[in-house]
Structures are given as structure tokens and as C-alpha cells.
Amino acid sequence: MKVLISVNSYYPDLDGVSYVTKYIAEGLVKKNWDVTVITSNDKKPKFELHNKVKIYRINTYTFKTFHFGDKQKYLHFIKSFSKDKFIFINVGIQNSFTDWTLKYIKVKNFFSILYLHGIYSSFFNKNDFINLNNFFSKIFRNIRWYLYIRFIKKYFQKYNLIIHLHKKDQSIDFFKRLGFKKKLVLENAIEKKFFNLKKI
């Protein structure tokens, strides 16, 4: 089975999202799946094979909550990849790859999964009051993401499955309010559940 994973950061990046995604990708390879990861370039090679995972990198970045980069190249990659049936995993929301995918998720020849690592919180914390820049930046982000959710939420319903990182993740309540029922909770990618995903 072919799997395509889109994620904002991946090997050799060392953040939590890249670590969990790498664990999943390489775990699927060990199960004899054909795994491709598409991620941001960030001055790394455009293509790399690491532990039998094919890594393609596309120029993309987010500035002030807006996404920039090679959107058409990314969408063309998905189109060329989708000549055969496959599983498509978008890791996270409010990043360029997932946001650029949302309106095209209705394509029928792939099983679509949204793998969440939390969600943006509109609640203020003490860091938002350190200076005026932080305060107004928080207000701007709150407005931006409120409008984003309002106009984009209908596309979330097109996913075949949404995976939450843990049972207390605030994304669960968020998608529950949207009326979304096709969900699965994996406590930081529990191997037994995730690697039987083909049975879903």
C-alpha cells in the first residue's frame, strides 16, 4: 500500500511533530508499506531517501499566519502521486500543506486522514501581555484563525478519519462541536493501533 504524508517539519528536524511523524513513517516501512513524505525545504535537499522513506521537500513558509511558497508544485505532486490508490495523511492544521489540501480532499482515489497535534488556542496567557506587540499579535491571530475556521470547517468533513494525539487534546472538543464523528485517539502514536490502520 502506498502512503503519502504531508508534514511541515520532518527529519532531520528534531521537534515533536517531526519525531512522531518519523516514527510513523518508518514503522509503516517496516510493515512493507511504500511511504513518501512531503515537507518544507528549509535549505535541505529537494529529495532524500532516509531509512527507506522517500522525502520530497518543497519551498513553503508561513508568515503572520499566512502561507507562501510553491503551492501549485505541491498540488501537482499530489495529482501525479494519485494515479494509484493510496492513503494520504495530513499532519496538523493551520500549516501550508494541510491548508492547501483541504479544498482538494474530495478526490476519491485516496483514503484521507487528518493527524492532529493539538490546535491553536485563542485563550490569552501571561506572555501575551508582556508588551503591546505580543498583545496585538495575539488579537490578530485570534481574528485570523476565527475567520479561517469559519470558512474552512466544511472541508474537514471530507476527511475519512481524524486522529487526535491524546484523550485530553483540545482538538477533540473542537471537532466534536463541528459534529465530526470519524475519529480515533492514539496516545502519541501507539504502535498496535496505528500500524493496523489498513483494516479501517
Side-chain angles (χ1 to χ4, degrees):
M1 174 66 73
K2 292 174 62 177
V3 182
L4 175 62
I5 303 174
S6 76
V7 62
N8 202 48
S9 61
Y10 192 72
Y11 168 87
D13 296 332
L14 297 176
D15 58 85
V17 173
S18 65
Y19 185 84
V20 170
T21 307
K22 183 174 181 289
Y23 164 79
I24 289 171
E26 293 179 2
L28 289 171
V29 165
K30 291 175 182 177
K31 296 285 186 178
N32 296 316
W33 291 47
D34 182 355
V35 181
T36 299
V37 170
I38 186 164
T39 187
S40 57
N41 190 312
D42 195 26
K43 299 181 180 179
K44 300 181 186 73
K46 292 184 178 180
F47 174 77
E48 186 174 2
L49 186 66
H50 180 74
N51 291 341
K52 297 184 180 180
V53 176
K54 290 170 278 189
I55 308 168
Y56 289 88
R57 298 186 176 94
I58 289 179
N59 291 322
T60 178
Y61 66 97
T62 299
F63 180 72
K64 300 291 185 181
T65 74
F66 291 95
H67 310 305
F68 302 91
D70 293 330
K71 178 179 180 179
Q72 294 306 317
K73 185 175 182 180
Y74 169 70
L75 295 176
H76 178 74
F77 183 90
I78 296 172
K79 185 177 180 179
S80 63
F81 194 91
S82 61
K83 292 177 182 178
D84 302 313
K85 289 186 177 180
F86 68 103
I87 294 175
F88 192 10
I89 304 174
N90 291 140
V91 179
I93 63 172
Q94 296 159 313
N95 67 68
S96 56
F97 294 117
T98 299
D99 290 356
W100 289 345
T101 303
L102 288 175
K103 293 181 181 179
Y104 301 91
I105 206 70
K106 61 184 178 181
V107 177
K108 299 299 182 182
N109 62 330
F110 61 76
F111 185 92
S112 54
I113 298 173
L114 180 59
Y115 196 114
L116 294 167
H117 285 254
I119 195 170
Y120 173 78
S121 174
S122 60
F123 293 107
F124 284 80
N125 60 56
K126 62 181 181 180
N127 289 328
D128 297 320
F129 297 98
I130 290 177
N131 54 51
L132 286 176
N133 180 63
N134 285 19
F135 178 72
F136 287 112
S137 292
K138 180 65 175 180
I139 291 175
F140 171 80
R141 291 195 303 272
N142 282 1
I143 294 171
R144 156 69 169 143
W145 294 128
Y146 170 80
L147 294 174
Y148 163 89
I149 295 299
R150 181 176 179 181
F151 291 107
I152 215 76
K153 62 183 180 181
K154 61 184 178 182
Y155 296 108
F156 291 131
Q157 296 288 351
K158 298 182 185 297
Y159 281 95
N160 296 110
L161 179 66
I162 289 184
I163 296 178
H164 302 277
L165 198 59
H166 54 82
K167 293 177 181 178
K168 295 184 179 180
D169 195 303
Q170 59 185 343
S171 65
I172 293 179
D173 289 335
F174 171 80
F175 279 93
K176 186 177 181 179
R177 290 196 301 270
L178 294 182
F180 204 97
K181 298 179 180 179
K182 298 171 286 185
K183 66 179 182 181
L184 181 66
V185 176
L186 300 183
E187 296 287 345
N188 287 308
I190 290 177
E191 184 171 353
K192 184 177 180 180
K193 286 185 180 180
F194 188 88
F195 298 119
N196 286 331
L197 204 56
K198 60 185 177 181
K199 296 179 182 179
I200 294 174

